[in-house]
Amino acid sequence: MATGIKDKVAIIGMGCSKFGERWDMGAEELIVEAFVECLEDAKIEKNDIQAAWFGSCIAEVNVGSTAMPLARSLRLPHIPVTRVENACATGTEAFRGACYAVASGAYDIVLAQGQEKLKDTGYGGLPAGGGGTKADMISPNTTAPGNFAQLASAYRARYGYSRDELKLALANISWKSHQNGAINPKAHLRKPIAIETILNAPMIADPLGLFDCCGVSDGSACAIVTTPEIAKDLGHKKLLTVKALAIAVSNGYESAFNEWKGDHFVTADKAADMAYAEAGIKNPREEISMMEVHDCFSITELVTMEDLKISARGEAVKDINDGFYNLDGGGVPCQPDGGLKCFGHPIGASGLRMLYEMYLQLHGRAGERQIENPIYGLTHNLGGSPRDNVCSVAIIGQYR
Amino acid sequence: MVGIVSYGGYIPRLRLNRMAVLKSMGWFAPNLAGSAQGERSMCNWDEDSLTMAVAASQDCLAGLDKSKIDAVYLASTTMPFSDRDNAGILKAALNLKDDLSTGDFATSLKSGTSAMIAALDSVKGGNKKQILISASDNRRSKSASVQEMWFGDGASSLLVGDDNVIAEFLDSYSESHDFVDHYRGQNTKFDYNWEERWIRDEGYSKIYPHVIQGLLDKTDMSMDLGVNPDQVVSNMHEETGECGTAHPFVMLTRELEKAQPGDKLLVAGYGQGADALLFEVTENIKNLPGRNGISGNLARKKVEDTYTKWLQFNELIETEMGARAEVSNRTSVSILWRYRKLILGFVGGRCKECGTPQIPSERICVNPSCGAIDSQEDYEFADKPAKILTFTADNLAASLAPPAIYGMIQFDDGGRMMMDFTDCMPDDVEVGVPIKPSFRKKYYDQDRGFTGYFWKAVPQPAPEQ
């Protein structure tokens, strides 16, 4: 009988590079920037690490495939290193691999590190394609904003919001993330933006304007995990443990079977249920203290609030407009670090960056952004498009 | 009885306003004013001779049993491939059976009528029962040339056979003369033209009457050539321009749409000689179900006043496409072969266990409450009614005609797919708007000279109440 991951793995150290257009550094140097912080935090030596999981996504414009870029950048002493890739959910995938390795008893101390260097392509946005040679022959000429923008048309059709009503809620989402990013020294975009500016920004993919889209960034983030017992032996007093690690993957149902309406994420809905069951959470709106979700686009964040069962179906617009997800809104703060929107989105690093903010908050080390007495922090990391994606939901919290 | 069994037509929705050409280029070529009336049909950036031939043939075959077709002929001077059976691509796009013969008729503007004669003679000989002939052209021309004003893009298809004939084939007459009024060499993009007066006096007005008279003599018919203009149909200059190889077919199709039993129709094609064919319309024409024909396509139009769009679509100017456009379009032809029914024919599957249509079909049924393995039978989606489920208009995607509009379309009887939309503007799309699948160019690979095709969704105007 499976017993789940709850409280079997403790996070003893985390690190995160500054995200942004890091013209000064390549992937290899960013990896070291995050790792040095993490190692110091974990109170161990590099040689204590017995295995590593490395997440990087777009091999063609990044460091290429295999796990070697991590081993080489950190000069790891010929230990097992595994490279994982699961689209924009790659970072969480590296973390899952490391956690399960510890929980299985195969290793005592394991590193999970994600990284992406996107700003050496010479253009904005993510590279096109990637569905495979057959898919390239039949798939439309899409981009990430175009794929996600379609959520808006379907969501409006289902719940009867006017275009302007939905645009305003989307603007409130981005406004909130800019407020939070502005007070985060490591964030990519650090300027508060007025609602009017967001609403009147140039259109990227209707109805998403420039400020509805997250930053395309360079960066790296990492975590060192072990068992709670070893963590205590190493002298860590306040332990944070993994409560749930869920992932759900599209199987063609959304894209080829006439049932899903195109207005939410089937995977997120399922991954959230799995995660809450694993963590023993009954009422997420009351029990989850804070979240970092995959706000690649404002509309993604909006429907995700419903998939995660924080807002009721069709009600996210109201919660957003009421400030329920703002840092000081008295609800469940979402994107306290600025989110993908403002902290930035180096693909392979993002899942671990989300965990990094939850980790800082749970330790009370989030500075100006600190949330009062958080118990559970949830991360939601999504890769693909609404019709075909992988979605992971992780929950970490105080060990008790 | 041998003759025409069905017809279909296709004229691109875009019509270039000839005044737009004159406005832009009249400073350079004031002679253009002489032909600046009305509009010329113009292919969208994702249309070519083959896509138009597919559309015209779909129209021609609507409601008919495709399994009876024994041969497919494609006539054009603008085939997308010089060495690849273009009629074979047409056959694959129409999802016709494999045991038929195909043939390309090319390199002369009369290759359409020549293909028609070959097909009719073949049916007459009894070797074949039904042959589909499609004629299609989209000829390139230099900016500010008379050809730019005169030419049009279009296609028309005829099904000939020996059963259910709507216009009986009476006879044909042909002559061949190497009269080089224009030509296009193997490695050139544009026609080279001789003096118009010589073409008119020594070519057109000598060869055509001679050939038509030859046919009339052969069939014991008489027609007072040139004296009774009522008997000569419109050359469609103001509606489409002259559609090259397709033009005799286009004009014939337009006449068949309104023909009455007993009407005699003479169609002739000209190009280094000429062909002339004579038909007599039968009572059967009343039984042929309605189709778009040419008239339906003429009614569906969008006038284009932006001459630079014409230049861009026809590669007459070089526009900055941005670094995002620098993708490799290398086609895996082994994948194209393995999935030819899907990619060219828009054929998916229907589960024999649960009845769910699905595209692309895979080995395991997509219905979560079924999941049967290897239960799929072929299922054509090209003619199935469908509506928009989600959509966007994308300014980031590299496109020759931004914004790139695409979305999920859902077939009424089951099945859905994320598809490019074409022949539309952002205001034409909304959840629930009906669409029709259309065979289009997906890309042109400059490095390898390969045109990749797939199906796109064309939003349809709301049905009139």
Side-chain angles (χ1 to χ4, degrees):
Chain A
M1 182 64 185
T3 54
I5 198 74
K6 186 178 179 182
D7 288 334
K8 291 176 182 170
V9 178
I11 308 171
I12 55 170
M14 288 201 78
C16 184
S17 75
K18 173 158 173 47
F19 281 14
E21 291 170 330
R22 294 294 302 268
W23 311 117
D24 60 325
M25 281 198 192
E28 294 81 356
E29 293 81 24
L30 289 165
I31 286 172
V32 175
E33 183 175 317
F35 180 73
V36 166
E37 179 190 354
C38 182
L39 195 65
E40 190 181 337
D41 187 32
K43 302 190 179 87
I44 59 165
E45 300 297 323
K46 182 168 80 177
N47 288 347
D48 296 333
I49 297 169
Q50 295 165 344
W53 265 257
F54 175 52
S56 70
C57 185
I58 307 178
E60 299 79 5
V61 299
N62 191 12
V63 290
S65 42
T66 87
M68 284 184 286
L70 183 73
R72 199 173 48 236
S73 300
L74 298 180
R75 307 291 186 208
L76 294 174
H78 294 97
I79 60 168
V81 185
T82 304
R83 176 185 178 238
V84 295
E85 185 272 303
N86 224 347
C88 297
T90 293
T92 307
E93 203 61 5
F95 184 71
R96 289 176 74 238
C99 289
Y100 291 140
V102 165
S104 75
Y107 305 106
D108 288 333
I109 298 178
V110 178
L111 168 72
Q113 182 141 13
Q115 171 280 137
E116 207 77 30
K117 177 74 191 173
L118 290 170
K119 294 309 299 181
D120 282 337
T121 57
Y123 54 83
L126 299 178
T133 314
K134 178 187 170 192
D136 286 349
M137 294 169 75
I138 60 174
S139 298
N141 178 25
T142 65
T143 63
N147 279 324
F148 285 86
Q150 293 173 58
L151 286 164
S153 63
Y155 188 88
R156 285 210 294 113
R158 176 143 188 196
Y159 297 111
Y161 289 105
S162 73
R163 194 175 181 285
D164 288 347
E165 283 172 329
L166 193 62
K167 261 301 249 186
L168 182 65
L170 296 178
N172 279 328
I173 288 172
S174 298
W175 176 86
K176 168 263 301 162
S177 295
H178 273 276
Q179 293 293 116
N180 298 350
I183 53 172
N184 190 341
K186 283 189 177 178
H188 180 172
L189 304 170
R190 301 205 55 210
K191 245 166 93 176
I193 303 286
I195 287 283
E196 293 70 30
T197 309
I198 298 171
L199 286 172
N200 297 318
M203 193 61 75
I204 303 296
D206 190 86
L208 303 179
L210 182 64
F211 291 102
D212 291 299
C213 306
C214 75
V216 174
S217 327
D218 306 323
S220 181
C222 55
I224 292 173
V225 292
T226 184
T227 64
E229 295 71 32
I230 296 170
K232 278 182 215 156
D233 291 347
L234 287 169
H236 290 277
K237 298 277 186 299
K238 179 175 175 178
L239 290 194
L240 302 181
T241 52
V242 177
K243 306 295 181 183
L245 288 174
I247 184 164
V249 179
S250 293
N251 63 5
Y253 160 82
E254 299 98 309
S255 59
F257 187 66
N258 287 8
E259 199 162 75
W260 174 66
K261 306 277 185 217
D263 58 348
H264 75 292
F265 293 86
V266 174
T267 51
D269 182 70
K270 289 198 189 306
D273 288 346
M274 284 188 245
Y276 295 141
E278 192 171 31
I281 286 172
K282 303 273 185 296
N283 185 349
R285 189 177 169 102
E286 300 301 324
E287 294 177 66
I288 295 295
S289 317
M290 58 195 175
M291 305 180 288
E292 283 289 336
V293 304
H294 199 91
D295 58 330
C296 48
F297 302 98
S298 53
I299 185 66
T300 318
E301 181 171 331
L302 186 146
V303 303
T304 297
M305 297 302 99
E306 300 177 10
D307 291 332
L308 295 176
K309 287 91 182 173
I310 309 291
S311 291
R313 288 277 171 216
E315 299 289 320
V317 169
K318 184 178 179 304
D319 281 338
I320 289 159
N321 291 343
D322 289 349
F324 183 81
Y325 295 110
N326 294 358
L327 205 46
D328 55 358
V332 183
C334 188
Q335 319 307 65
D337 71 359
L340 300 179
K341 174 76 201 74
C342 292
F343 200 99
H345 184 26
I347 303 175
S350 282
L352 281 152
R353 181 276 300 162
M354 297 170 179
L355 288 164
Y356 175 75
E357 175 69 6
M358 297 295 93
Y359 175 89
L360 292 181
Q361 293 279 0
L362 287 163
H363 271 310
R365 285 159 35 188
E368 258 190 281
R369 314 182 303 282
Q370 185 61 47
I371 292 159
E372 206 179 330
N373 298 322
I375 310 293
Y376 288 118
L378 179 149
T379 68
H380 157 273
N381 192 196
L382 180 94
S385 65
R387 68 188 181 281
D388 277 313
N389 63 79
V390 296
C391 179
S392 57
V393 174
I395 300 171
I396 64 172
Q398 313 286 355
Y399 182 60
R400 50 183 82 181
Chain B
M1 187 193 292
V2 169
I4 296 167
V5 175
S6 179
Y7 59 83
Y10 184 77
I11 302 293
R13 169 175 167 270
L14 293 179
R15 311 294 157 77
L16 179 63
N17 184 352
R18 289 196 181 93
M19 281 307 291
V21 184
L22 184 65
K23 268 185 195 162
S24 295
M25 298 308 296
W27 64 272
F28 175 79
N31 61 311
L32 297 178
S35 50
Q37 309 85 24
E39 301 135 12
R40 60 151 295 167
S41 50
M42 88 183 238
C43 278
N44 204 341
W45 69 269
D46 58 358
E47 294 183 300
D48 65 9
S49 294
L50 184 64
T51 67
M52 291 192 293
V54 171
S57 300
Q58 283 182 294
D59 190 36
C60 177
L61 299 178
L64 302 179
D65 180 2
K66 295 194 294 186
S67 71
K68 289 185 177 168
I69 296 171
D70 299 317
V72 177
Y73 298 160
L74 177 61
S76 177
T77 69
T78 50
M79 300 277 188
F81 289 89
S82 297
D83 185 351
R84 179 182 172 191
D85 187 15
N86 295 283
I89 312 174
L90 173 61
K91 167 255 170 191
L94 297 169
N95 193 32
L96 302 180
K97 66 187 180 190
D98 290 338
D99 55 327
L100 50 69
S101 65
T102 53
D104 286 344
F105 288 71
T107 66
S108 168
L109 294 179
K110 72 170 169 59
S111 53
T113 47
S114 302
M116 210 192 303
I117 292 170
L120 288 160
D121 286 349
S122 180
V123 173
K124 240 179 166 175
N127 233 349
K128 293 186 166 55
K129 294 282 201 189
Q130 271 196 359
I131 299 177
L132 175 73
I133 315 133
S134 189
S136 181
D137 245 337
N138 76 319
R139 291 169 295 165
R140 296 292 164 90
S141 48
K142 288 180 185 167
S143 174
S145 65
V146 173
Q147 287 70 33
E148 183 172 63
M149 299 297 256
W150 272 96
F151 289 177
D153 299 332
S156 181
S157 297
L158 297 170
L159 184 67
V160 301
D162 61 1
D163 198 17
N164 289 320
V165 167
I166 61 166
E168 183 183 6
F169 174 52
L170 298 180
D171 213 337
S172 70
Y173 179 80
S174 301
E175 283 185 11
S176 170
H177 301 286
D178 187 31
F179 182 81
V180 191
D181 50 2
H182 76 283
Y183 66 92
R184 198 181 324 138
Q186 191 178 6
N187 298 315
T188 49
K189 256 165 93 175
F190 305 113
D191 293 355
Y192 187 83
N193 298 278
W194 207 256
E195 188 185 0
E196 289 163 19
R197 300 174 62 80
W198 176 74
I199 295 169
R200 184 193 63 198
D201 295 346
E202 283 295 299
Y204 212 78
S205 40
K206 283 189 178 164
I207 294 172
Y208 246 155
H210 199 256
V211 168
I212 290 167
Q213 194 59 53
L215 176 64
L216 297 177
D217 291 347
K218 229 178 137 186
T219 54
D220 287 333
M221 292 256 306
S222 65
M223 180 171 156
D224 195 357
L225 287 172
V227 175
N228 187 356
D230 291 350
Q231 284 176 268
V232 180
V233 304
S234 158
N235 66 7
M236 300 176 64
H237 171 73
E238 296 200 14
E239 293 150 299
T240 63
E242 189 251 294
C243 299
T245 306
H247 209 56
F249 278 52
V250 167
M251 290 195 293
L252 175 62
T253 294
R254 202 180 183 197
E255 292 310 305
L256 284 168
E257 290 165 20
K258 53 193 179 198
Q260 296 300 316
D263 286 356
K264 287 201 172 67
L265 303 174
L266 188 153
V267 58
Y270 178 82
Q272 298 84 50
D275 300 312
L277 300 88
L278 191 62
F279 297 93
E280 181 168 345
V281 178
T282 74
E283 288 289 333
N284 259 334
I285 200 156
K286 295 176 183 166
N287 303 328
L288 187 72
R291 48 207 58 236
N292 285 336
I294 293 299
S295 304
N297 280 282
L298 289 177
R300 168 191 169 272
K301 74 167 176 179
K302 180 178 187 301
V303 176
E304 187 55 68
D305 292 311
T306 308
Y307 178 63
T308 46
K309 192 178 278 189
W310 160 266
L311 294 178
Q312 147 113 331
F313 286 7
N314 288 281
E315 295 169 351
L316 295 167
I317 48 172
E318 194 168 354
T319 45
E320 172 61 62
M321 293 298 292
R324 293 190 68 84
E326 295 168 9
V327 291
S328 172
N329 286 316
R330 186 168 184 214
T331 294
S332 166
V333 289
S334 48
I335 290 178
L336 177 60
W337 169 245
R338 192 179 308 123
Y339 300 106
R340 59 194 177 279
K341 284 206 170 191
L342 165 68
I343 295 168
L344 295 175
F346 207 42
V347 175
R350 181 169 50 191
C351 177
K352 283 186 274 192
E353 300 288 325
C354 72
T356 301
Q358 43 209 284
I359 185 166
S361 74
E362 302 197 13
R363 287 188 65 183
I364 301 179
C365 176
V366 73
N367 179 352
S369 56
C370 176
I373 300 175
D374 291 335
S375 63
Q376 302 288 313
E377 57 185 357
D378 281 356
Y379 183 84
E380 289 185 0
F381 280 90
D383 59 349
K384 300 295 187 294
K387 296 186 185 72
I388 296 171
L389 184 70
T390 66
F391 67 91
T392 189
D394 185 341
N395 288 301
L396 180 62
S399 167
L400 280 165
I405 305 175
Y406 51 88
M408 178 85 81
I409 63 116
Q410 178 159 299
F411 291 89
D412 295 356
D413 300 329
R416 54 167 60 173
M417 195 178 205
M418 187 67 70
M419 297 180 79
D420 283 315
F421 294 177
T422 190
D423 280 1
C424 64
M425 301 298 281
D427 287 346
D428 299 330
V429 294
E430 188 50 81
V431 174
V433 165
I435 68 96
K436 275 189 178 163
S438 179
F439 182 79
R440 295 293 172 118
K441 271 197 299 195
K442 184 159 163 54
Y443 63 85
Y444 178 66
D445 180 347
Q446 298 274 5
D447 296 331
R448 302 168 191 86
F450 191 89
T451 306
Y453 296 93
F454 190 57
W455 293 74
K456 299 183 184 179
V458 179
Q460 303 293 304
E464 285 175 33
Q465 296 301 313

